[in-house]
Amino acid sequence: MAHGKKYREALKKYDPEQSYDLQKAVDIVKNVKFAGFDETVEVHVSLKLSKSQSVRDTVVLPHQFRGEKRILVFCKEDRVKEALDAGAAYAGGDEYIEKVKGGWLDFDVAVATPDMMKDVGRLGMVLGRRGLMPNPKTGTVSADIRGAVNELKKGRVEFRADKTGVIHLAVGKVSMDSEKIVENISTFLGEMMRKKPQDAKADFVRSVSVNSTMGPGVWVSYRAGE
């Protein structure tokens, strides 16, 4: 892939073949940024997974960097007020199922109570393709509406390994203090290691890198348990 002049100039400011400790790597990412907007900082973790292994869970990052999420709660009528009082933007049952069927997707995350999943499951073709389908593994299928909404508003995000065994996760903005970005990454890595497959090998983590939206990647020297 051909890169522009600014990208090539950024590569000259550090050794792209070297691995750095997390703090230094984040400092480099911030130093080599060149886009004219507040780029997102991303971490990429390549994992050694067998065909039967998967990694998918959620984590609450300590430092938020995105606007407030618009949460839709699929629930019975008698729990609509509870959902709205908890901070959901929308709450309801059949009327919202029909709206989504019709193409309405004016929300960032969907939560469902267990008794609604039989009906919500029919939205798989719409919600699944956009990563919006409620799932118990991510805490978005729950009888505890208030708890689920509160966790999402605090910044709970999903992470999952793709088909190649790589997790891609946004962890901050280049305008944030380096220490806050480092803490977000460290929190994610710690949670990832706690939720790794029980039969994972010692060299479960192949590599870790960080970059900004437009910038080059910086390798991170990472050892499990750090």
Side-chain angles (χ1 to χ4, degrees), residues 140-166:
T140 49
V141 175
S142 175
D144 180 10
I145 291 176
R146 184 171 298 277
V149 172
N150 284 343
E151 285 289 282
L152 288 166
K153 291 179 77 68
K154 274 195 256 180
R156 180 169 292 281
V157 294
E158 179 183 358
F159 60 88
R160 64 190 300 179
D162 63 19
K163 293 180 180 179
T164 65
V166 179

Side-chain angles (χ1 to χ4, degrees), residues 43-47 165-168 188-189 192 205 207-209:
V43 63
H44 309 274
V45 184
S46 176
L47 303 174
V166 179
I167 298 174
H168 308 277
F188 154 63
L189 290 173
M192 179 196 73
V205 178
S207 65
V208 178
S209 66

Side-chain angles (χ1 to χ4, degrees), residues 190-203:
E191 191 67 14
M192 179 196 73
M193 293 305 297
R194 281 190 287 275
K195 301 298 175 60
K196 70 179 181 179
Q198 291 186 346
D199 56 347
K201 304 295 184 180
D203 55 351

